Coordinates of all heavy atoms in Angstrom, one line a residue:
R5 N 18.7 -8.9 -5.6 CA 17.7 -9.0 -6.5 C 17.8 -7.9 -7.5 O 17.3 -6.8 -7.3 CB 16.3 -9.0 -5.9 CG 16.1 -10.0 -4.8 CD 15.9 -11.4 -5.3 NE 15.6 -12.3 -4.3 CZ 15.8 -13.6 -4.3 NH1 16.3 -14.1 -5.3 NH2 15.4 -14.3 -3.3
G8 N 17.3 -3.9 -12.4 CA 17.5 -2.7 -13.2 C 16.7 -1.5 -12.5 O 16.2 -0.7 -13.2
F9 N 16.6 -1.5 -11.2 CA 15.8 -0.6 -10.5 C 16.5 0.8 -10.5 O 17.7 0.9 -10.6 CB 15.7 -1.0 -9.0 CG 15.1 -2.4 -8.9 CD1 15.7 -3.4 -8.2 CD2 13.8 -2.7 -9.4 CE1 15.2 -4.6 -8.0 CE2 13.3 -4.0 -9.3 CZ 14.0 -4.9 -8.6
N10 N 15.7 1.8 -10.3 CA 16.2 3.2 -10.2 C 15.3 3.9 -9.1 O 14.4 4.6 -9.4 CB 16.0 3.9 -11.6 CG 16.6 5.3 -11.5 OD1 17.2 5.7 -10.6 ND2 16.3 6.1 -12.6
G11 N 15.7 3.6 -7.9 CA 15.0 4.2 -6.8 C 13.9 3.3 -6.2 O 12.7 3.8 -6.1
P12 N 14.2 2.0 -5.9 CA 13.2 1.2 -5.4 C 12.8 1.7 -4.0 O 13.6 1.9 -3.1 CB 13.9 -0.2 -5.2 CG 15.4 0.1 -5.2 CD 15.5 1.4 -6.1
A13 N 11.5 2.0 -3.8 CA 11.0 2.7 -2.6 C 10.2 1.8 -1.7 O 10.2 2.1 -0.5 CB 10.2 3.9 -3.0
G14 N 9.6 0.8 -2.2 CA 8.8 -0.1 -1.4 C 8.9 -1.5 -1.8 O 9.2 -1.8 -3.0
V15 N 8.7 -2.4 -0.9 CA 8.9 -3.8 -1.2 C 7.9 -4.6 -0.5 O 7.5 -4.3 0.7 CB 10.3 -4.3 -1.0 CG1 10.7 -4.2 0.5 CG2 10.6 -5.7 -1.5
A16 N 7.3 -5.7 -1.0 CA 6.4 -6.7 -0.3 C 6.7 -8.1 -0.9 O 7.3 -8.2 -2.0 CB 5.0 -6.3 -0.6
V23 N 8.6 -11.4 -4.9 CA 8.9 -10.1 -4.3 C 8.4 -9.0 -5.3 O 8.5 -9.1 -6.5 CB 10.5 -10.0 -4.2 CG1 10.8 -8.6 -3.7 CG2 11.0 -11.0 -3.2
Y24 N 7.7 -8.1 -4.7 CA 7.1 -6.9 -5.5 C 7.9 -5.7 -5.1 O 8.1 -5.4 -3.9 CB 5.6 -6.8 -5.2 CG 4.9 -8.1 -5.6 CD1 4.7 -9.1 -4.6 CD2 4.5 -8.3 -6.8 CE1 4.1 -10.3 -5.0 CE2 3.8 -9.4 -7.2 CZ 3.6 -10.4 -6.3 OH 3.0 -11.6 -6.6
V25 N 8.2 -4.9 -6.1 CA 9.0 -3.7 -5.8 C 8.3 -2.5 -6.5 O 8.0 -2.5 -7.7 CB 10.4 -3.8 -6.4 CG1 11.3 -2.5 -6.2 CG2 11.2 -5.0 -5.8
A26 N 8.2 -1.4 -5.7 CA 7.7 -0.1 -6.2 C 9.0 0.7 -6.6 O 9.7 1.0 -5.7 CB 6.9 0.7 -5.2
D27 N 9.2 0.9 -7.9 CA 10.3 1.6 -8.4 C 10.0 3.1 -8.6 O 9.5 3.4 -9.7 CB 10.9 0.9 -9.6 CG 12.3 1.3 -9.9 OD1 12.8 2.4 -9.4 OD2 13.0 0.6 -10.7
F28 N 10.3 4.0 -7.7 CA 9.9 5.4 -7.7 C 10.4 6.1 -9.0 O 9.6 6.7 -9.7 CB 10.5 6.0 -6.5 CG 10.2 7.4 -6.3 CD1 9.0 7.7 -5.6 CD2 10.9 8.5 -6.8 CE1 8.6 9.0 -5.3 CE2 10.5 9.8 -6.5 CZ 9.3 10.1 -5.8
N29 N 11.6 6.0 -9.4 CA 12.1 6.7 -10.5 C 11.8 6.1 -11.9 O 11.8 6.8 -12.9 CB 13.7 7.0 -10.4 CG 14.0 7.9 -9.2 OD1 13.2 8.8 -8.9 ND2 15.1 7.6 -8.6
N30 N 11.6 4.8 -11.9 CA 11.2 4.2 -13.2 C 9.7 4.2 -13.4 O 9.2 3.7 -14.4 CB 11.7 2.7 -13.3 CG 13.1 2.7 -13.7 OD1 13.7 3.6 -14.3 ND2 13.8 1.6 -13.2
D31 N 8.9 4.7 -12.4 CA 7.4 4.8 -12.5 C 6.8 3.4 -12.8 O 6.0 3.2 -13.7 CB 7.0 5.7 -13.6 CG 7.4 7.2 -13.3 OD1 7.4 7.6 -12.1 OD2 7.7 7.9 -14.3
A32 N 7.3 2.4 -12.1 CA 7.0 1.0 -12.4 C 6.8 0.2 -11.1 O 7.4 0.5 -10.1 CB 8.0 0.4 -13.3
V33 N 6.1 -0.9 -11.3 CA 6.0 -2.0 -10.2 C 6.5 -3.3 -10.8 O 6.0 -3.6 -11.9 CB 4.6 -2.1 -9.7 CG1 4.5 -3.2 -8.7 CG2 4.1 -0.8 -9.0
Y34 N 7.4 -4.0 -10.1 CA 7.9 -5.2 -10.6 C 7.6 -6.4 -9.8 O 7.5 -6.2 -8.5 CB 9.5 -5.0 -10.7 CG 9.9 -3.9 -11.6 CD1 10.5 -2.8 -11.1 CD2 9.8 -3.9 -13.0 CE1 11.0 -1.7 -11.9 CE2 10.2 -2.9 -13.8 CZ 10.8 -1.8 -13.2 OH 11.2 -0.8 -14.0
I36 N 9.3 -10.1 -8.9 CA 10.5 -10.9 -9.0 C 10.2 -12.3 -8.4 O 9.9 -12.4 -7.2 CB 11.7 -10.3 -8.1 CG1 11.9 -8.9 -8.5 CG2 13.0 -11.1 -8.3 CD1 12.8 -8.1 -7.5
F53 N 1.8 4.3 -13.7 CA 2.2 4.8 -12.4 C 3.1 6.1 -12.6 O 3.8 6.3 -13.6 CB 3.0 3.8 -11.6 CG 2.2 2.5 -11.5 CD1 2.6 1.3 -12.1 CD2 1.1 2.5 -10.7 CE1 1.9 0.2 -12.0 CE2 0.3 1.3 -10.6 CZ 0.8 0.2 -11.2
D54 N 3.1 6.9 -11.5 CA 3.9 8.1 -11.5 C 4.5 8.1 -10.1 O 3.9 8.5 -9.1 CB 3.1 9.4 -11.7 CG 4.0 10.6 -11.8 OD1 5.2 10.5 -11.6 OD2 3.4 11.7 -11.9
A55 N 5.7 7.7 -9.9 CA 6.5 7.7 -8.7 C 5.8 6.8 -7.6 O 5.4 7.3 -6.5 CB 6.7 9.1 -8.1
P56 N 5.6 5.5 -7.9 CA 5.0 4.7 -6.9 C 6.0 4.6 -5.7 O 7.2 4.4 -5.9 CB 4.9 3.3 -7.6 CG 5.9 3.3 -8.7 CD 6.0 4.8 -9.1
T57 N 5.5 4.7 -4.5 CA 6.3 4.7 -3.3 C 6.3 3.4 -2.4 O 7.2 3.1 -1.7 CB 5.9 5.8 -2.3 OG1 4.5 5.7 -2.0 CG2 6.1 7.2 -3.0
N58 N 5.2 2.7 -2.5 CA 5.1 1.5 -1.7 C 4.1 0.5 -2.3 O 3.3 0.8 -3.2 CB 4.6 1.8 -0.3 CG 5.4 1.1 0.7 OD1 5.7 -0.1 0.6 ND2 5.7 1.7 1.8
V59 N 4.2 -0.8 -1.9 CA 3.4 -1.9 -2.4 C 3.0 -2.8 -1.2 O 3.7 -2.8 -0.2 CB 4.1 -2.7 -3.5 CG1 4.2 -2.0 -4.8 CG2 5.4 -3.3 -3.0
A60 N 1.9 -3.4 -1.4 CA 1.4 -4.4 -0.4 C 0.7 -5.5 -1.3 O 0.3 -5.2 -2.4 CB 0.4 -3.8 0.6
Y68 N -1.2 -3.9 -4.3 CA -1.7 -2.6 -4.0 C -0.6 -1.6 -4.1 O 0.5 -1.9 -3.5 CB -2.5 -2.5 -2.7 CG -3.6 -3.5 -2.6 CD1 -3.4 -4.8 -2.3 CD2 -4.9 -3.1 -3.1 CE1 -4.5 -5.7 -2.3 CE2 -5.9 -4.0 -3.1 CZ -5.7 -5.3 -2.7 OH -6.8 -6.2 -2.7
V69 N -0.8 -0.5 -4.7 CA 0.3 0.5 -5.0 C -0.1 1.9 -4.5 O -1.1 2.4 -4.8 CB 0.6 0.6 -6.5 CG1 1.8 1.5 -6.8 CG2 0.9 -0.8 -7.1
A70 N 0.8 2.5 -3.7 CA 0.7 3.9 -3.3 C 1.4 4.6 -4.5 O 2.6 4.6 -4.6 CB 1.4 4.1 -2.0
D71 N 0.5 5.3 -5.3 CA 1.0 5.9 -6.5 C 1.0 7.4 -6.2 O 0.1 8.2 -6.6 CB 0.1 5.6 -7.7 CG 0.6 6.0 -9.0 OD1 1.8 6.5 -9.1 OD2 -0.1 5.9 -10.0
V72 N 2.1 7.9 -5.6 CA 2.1 9.3 -5.1 C 2.0 10.4 -6.1 O 1.3 11.3 -5.9 CB 3.4 9.5 -4.2 CG1 4.7 9.5 -5.0 CG2 3.3 10.7 -3.3
G73 N 2.6 10.2 -7.3 CA 2.6 11.2 -8.3 C 1.3 11.4 -9.0 O 1.0 12.5 -9.5
W99 N -0.7 12.6 -1.9 CA 0.6 11.9 -1.6 C 0.4 10.6 -0.8 O 0.9 10.5 0.4 CB 1.7 12.8 -1.0 CG 2.4 13.6 -2.0 CD1 2.0 14.2 -3.1 CD2 3.8 13.9 -1.9 NE1 3.0 14.8 -3.8 CE2 4.1 14.7 -3.0 CE3 4.8 13.6 -1.0 CZ2 5.4 15.2 -3.3 CZ3 6.1 14.1 -1.3 CH2 6.4 14.9 -2.4
P100 N -0.3 9.7 -1.3 CA -0.5 8.4 -0.5 C 0.9 7.7 -0.5 O 1.5 7.4 -1.6 CB -1.5 7.6 -1.4 CG -1.4 8.2 -2.7 CD -1.0 9.6 -2.6
W101 N 1.5 7.6 0.6 CA 2.9 7.1 0.7 C 3.0 5.7 1.2 O 3.6 4.8 0.6 CB 3.7 8.0 1.6 CG 5.1 8.0 1.3 CD1 6.1 7.2 1.9 CD2 5.8 8.9 0.4 NE1 7.3 7.5 1.3 CE2 7.2 8.5 0.4 CE3 5.4 9.9 -0.5 CZ2 8.2 9.1 -0.4 CZ3 6.4 10.5 -1.3 CH2 7.7 10.1 -1.2
G102 N 2.4 5.4 2.4 CA 2.4 4.0 2.9 C 1.2 3.3 2.6 O 0.1 3.8 2.4
I103 N 1.3 1.9 2.5 CA 0.1 1.1 2.2 C 0.2 -0.2 2.8 O 1.3 -0.8 2.9 CB 0.0 1.0 0.6 CG1 -1.4 0.5 0.3 CG2 1.1 0.2 0.0 CD1 -1.8 0.8 -1.2
Y116 N 0.8 11.2 3.2 CA 1.9 12.1 3.6 C 1.4 13.5 3.8 O 1.6 14.2 4.8 CB 3.0 11.9 2.7 CG 4.3 12.6 3.1 CD1 5.2 12.0 3.8 CD2 4.5 13.9 2.7 CE1 6.4 12.6 4.1 CE2 5.7 14.6 3.0 CZ 6.7 13.9 3.7 OH 7.9 14.5 4.1
V150 N 2.7 11.2 7.3 CA 2.7 9.7 7.5 C 3.5 9.1 6.3 O 3.3 9.4 5.2 CB 1.2 9.2 7.4 CG1 1.3 7.7 7.5 CG2 0.4 9.8 8.5
D151 N 4.5 8.3 6.7 CA 5.5 7.8 5.8 C 5.2 6.3 5.5 O 5.3 5.8 4.4 CB 6.9 8.0 6.4 CG 8.0 7.6 5.5 OD1 7.8 7.8 4.3 OD2 9.0 7.1 5.9
A152 N 4.8 5.5 6.6 CA 4.7 4.1 6.4 C 3.6 3.6 7.3 O 3.3 4.1 8.4 CB 6.0 3.4 6.7
V153 N 2.9 2.5 6.9 CA 1.9 1.9 7.7 C 2.1 0.4 7.6 O 2.5 -0.1 6.6 CB 0.4 2.2 7.3 CG1 0.1 3.7 7.6 CG2 0.1 1.9 5.8
S164 N 4.2 5.2 10.9 CA 5.5 5.8 11.1 C 5.5 7.2 10.5 O 5.4 7.4 9.2 CB 6.6 5.0 10.3 OG 7.8 5.7 10.3
Y166 N 7.1 10.6 9.2 CA 8.4 10.9 8.6 C 9.2 11.8 9.6 O 8.7 12.8 10.1 CB 8.2 11.6 7.3 CG 9.5 12.1 6.7 CD1 10.3 11.1 6.0 CD2 9.9 13.4 6.7 CE1 11.5 11.5 5.5 CE2 11.2 13.8 6.2 CZ 11.9 12.8 5.5 OH 13.1 13.2 5.0

Side-chain angles (χ1 to χ4, degrees):
R5 306 287 187 203
F9 307 122
N10 183 11
V15 63
V23 176
Y24 301 90
V25 178
D27 194 346
F28 187 87
N29 292 327
N30 279 334
D31 298 325
V33 174
Y34 301 111
I36 307 169
F53 303 112
D54 184 5
T57 56
N58 222 320
V59 290
Y68 300 88
V69 181
D71 190 8
V72 70
W99 274 39
W101 205 270
I103 194 162
Y116 189 90
V150 178
D151 190 33
V153 295
S164 172
Y166 178 77

